[in-house]
Amino acid sequence: MPFSAQALLRPHIDALQPYTPIQPFDVLSKRLGLPADQIVKLDANENPYGPLPAVAQALAEHPWYHIYPDPQHEALRDALAGFAGVPAANILPTHGADEMLDLLCRLFLTNGDRVINCPPTFGMYSFDAELVGAVAHDIPRKAQFATDVSAIEQAVNDDSASACKMVFVTSPNNPTGNWLPDDELKSILQLPVLVVLDEAYVEFADKPSRANWVSRHENLVVLRTFSKAAGIAGLRLGYGICPDWLMQVLWKFKQPYNVNVAASVAGIASLKHASQIRSVVKLLVDERGRLFDALQNVPYLNPYPSEANFILCDVTASIGAHGVKLALEKQGILVRYYNKPGLADCIRISVGRPEQTDRLLQALHALEI
Ligand SMILES: Cc1ncc(COP(=O)(O)O)c(C=O)c1O
């Protein structure tokens, strides 16, 4: 047999399903044949207000792009400590919250290990676990998308299965928008696993972050991001809030320059003006309320209440959720569509600016269903 480099790949790689990413403006603009400024992009829970003006200024003025970043991210961690209300020593900035998920999976999981995933939820948990050869053990959500805590307890304690090492929980959850109550999180934290609480959307909820629980629970990691409330998804900046013992390991394990200088400059400038981030969040939360009320008046949509910057809707139209998505897309309005177990015939709409809501509503009402 001739030598094949491909045959050297790890055996589980063949079976991996690729992650389906969202397309950015330039790609969409080409595909839809529309100028970017005519596209209403409500498909990826991005913040339509974008970076604060101070961020653009700080990026323009920064003098040292030719110098490597600080591997310890000291200035950013100090700023984050004030914002998140936890010690800088427990914060690790990352290339988006996604990098933290990847780091955790590579640190803890090996072939055949199980992680608990609670679909419908963010697809990266099972994706990253499967990348390293672990198995995502799905515990589907109950009515109204509540987390099934007793089924999680049973699955973790199932001695007949392979080791269960991590539970991924999300609050507010994507794409359902619901909150994980304190008592349920406390029960999950009693289990002998690492609990990864993803708070990517917490700024939009009317309840407090659980970041400061990390000091009381040595098996809790909380993930946060600048992609949503702070409006810099394209710069890729997130952070994990981790117990002391895990920070020691992460300092050894992460790439030294995992956060680039532009992301760090933008993060620090955003946090200097945190009150402006809160004002933008308030605009989006108010608009979420208006959008929710208006969606209730669209005869073929049933919106679910949301604590995040998006609203999930059941679609009862004869053309189905996919048909609605395609009809909107023809008009340059992008929403996310789902049709899978636990999420049959649904669309998820990110909260936009008021004028974007208006265009969406006009298009929804004009659809011939
Ligand atoms: C629940 C959840 N966690 C994490 C992320 C990714 O965050 P980041 O952009 O910081 O990688 C997303 C992005 O949509 C998300 O929905």
Side-chain angles (χ1 to χ4, degrees):
M1 279 277 276
F3 166 72
S4 151
Q6 196 175 351
L8 304 176
L9 282 168
R10 295 176 64 196
H12 74 282
I13 302 289
D14 234 8
L16 289 176
Q17 293 298 316
Y19 187 78
T20 318
I22 290 291
Q23 295 178 323
F25 271 130
D26 45 347
V27 178
L28 279 173
S29 173
K30 227 179 188 170
R31 180 162 73 79
L32 302 176
L34 281 173
D37 62 4
Q38 282 179 34
I39 296 174
V40 174
K41 193 172 180 321
L42 305 177
D43 60 345
N45 306 336
E46 290 140 338
N47 181 333
Y49 293 97
L52 300 177
V55 169
Q57 195 183 342
L59 285 170
E61 288 173 359
H62 185 75
W64 297 316
Y65 290 117
H66 58 300
I67 302 296
Y68 284 104
D70 170 13
Q72 305 282 325
H73 320 293
E74 277 197 23
L76 177 58
R77 286 168 53 230
D78 284 346
L80 276 170
F83 181 72
V86 295
N90 295 99
I91 301 175
L92 186 76
T94 49
H95 185 79
D98 282 350
E99 190 198 5
M100 193 70 204
L101 287 169
D102 177 59
L103 286 171
L104 292 172
C105 287
R106 287 193 293 118
L107 262 177
F108 287 89
L109 303 176
T110 174
N111 275 351
D113 286 344
R114 281 182 306 144
V115 302
I116 302 292
N117 182 51
C118 304
T121 193
F122 184 46
M124 275 308 220
Y125 314 136
S126 52
F127 175 76
D128 281 332
E130 285 164 7
L131 278 187
V132 293
V135 178
H137 184 152
D138 283 348
I139 304 290
R141 287 166 183 270
K142 302 188 290 186
Q144 300 304 309
F145 306 116
T147 306
D148 192 341
V149 177
S150 54
I152 293 176
E153 288 167 346
Q154 263 182 22
V156 169
N157 292 323
D158 181 356
D159 292 334
S160 66
S162 56
C164 183
K165 292 192 170 167
M166 282 197 237
V167 174
F168 292 102
V169 283
T170 321
S171 188
N173 185 43
N174 174 15
T176 59
N178 58 313
W179 185 257
L180 175 71
D182 280 2
D183 56 335
E184 295 182 11
L185 178 58
K186 278 183 192 155
S187 300
I188 296 169
L189 283 165
Q190 299 306 311
L191 295 168
V193 287
L194 184 77
V195 178
V196 181
L197 171 65
D198 185 342
E199 290 194 337
Y201 301 97
V202 74
E203 290 91 345
F204 301 101
D206 65 358
K207 302 177 184 72
S209 159
R210 266 75 66 106
N212 61 7
W213 288 29
V214 171
S215 62
R216 302 196 297 278
H217 296 277
E218 59 98 38
N219 62 335
L220 175 63
V221 172
V222 175
L223 305 189
R224 304 275 296 267
T225 180
F226 283 73
S227 295
K228 313 297 176 182
I232 54 170
L235 285 172
R236 313 301 301 123
L237 182 60
Y239 52 106
I241 297 154
C242 310
D244 294 333
W245 65 268
L246 182 56
M247 288 299 297
Q248 304 317 314
V249 183
L250 283 162
W251 286 127
K252 283 194 290 193
F253 195 70
K254 80 168 184 87
Q255 293 287 330
Y257 306 126
N258 62 323
V259 172
N260 70 65
V261 171
S264 180
V265 166
I268 293 166
S270 301
L271 296 172
K272 257 193 201 145
H273 302 274
S275 65
Q276 289 178 32
I277 297 182
R278 285 188 275 273
S279 304
V280 171
V281 166
K282 166 117 180 38
L283 285 179
L284 288 166
V285 167
D286 290 349
E287 190 61 14
R288 177 181 75 201
R290 184 172 88 95
L291 176 64
F292 183 80
D293 293 345
L295 291 172
Q296 283 189 309
N297 291 325
V298 177
Y300 55 89
L301 294 182
N302 293 318
Y304 290 94
S306 170
E307 302 259 9
N309 67 338
F310 53 81
I311 295 178
L312 183 73
C313 303
D314 276 332
V315 179
T316 59
S318 56
I319 59 169
H322 193 229
V324 172
K325 176 210 153 76
L326 291 180
L328 291 173
E329 193 175 285
K330 275 197 194 127
Q331 301 178 53
I333 302 170
L334 285 270
V335 299
R336 185 83 192 259
Y337 130 86
Y338 303 91
N339 196 14
K340 53 186 179 187
L343 214 51
D345 251 337
C346 288
I347 55 172
R348 188 197 65 194
I349 304 170
S350 308
V351 179
R353 293 171 181 253
E355 59 273 24
Q356 295 178 311
T357 304
D358 293 343
R359 244 186 84 188
L360 168 78
L361 293 171
Q362 201 180 25
L364 287 171
H365 282 290
L367 278 193
E368 307 219 336
I369 304 275

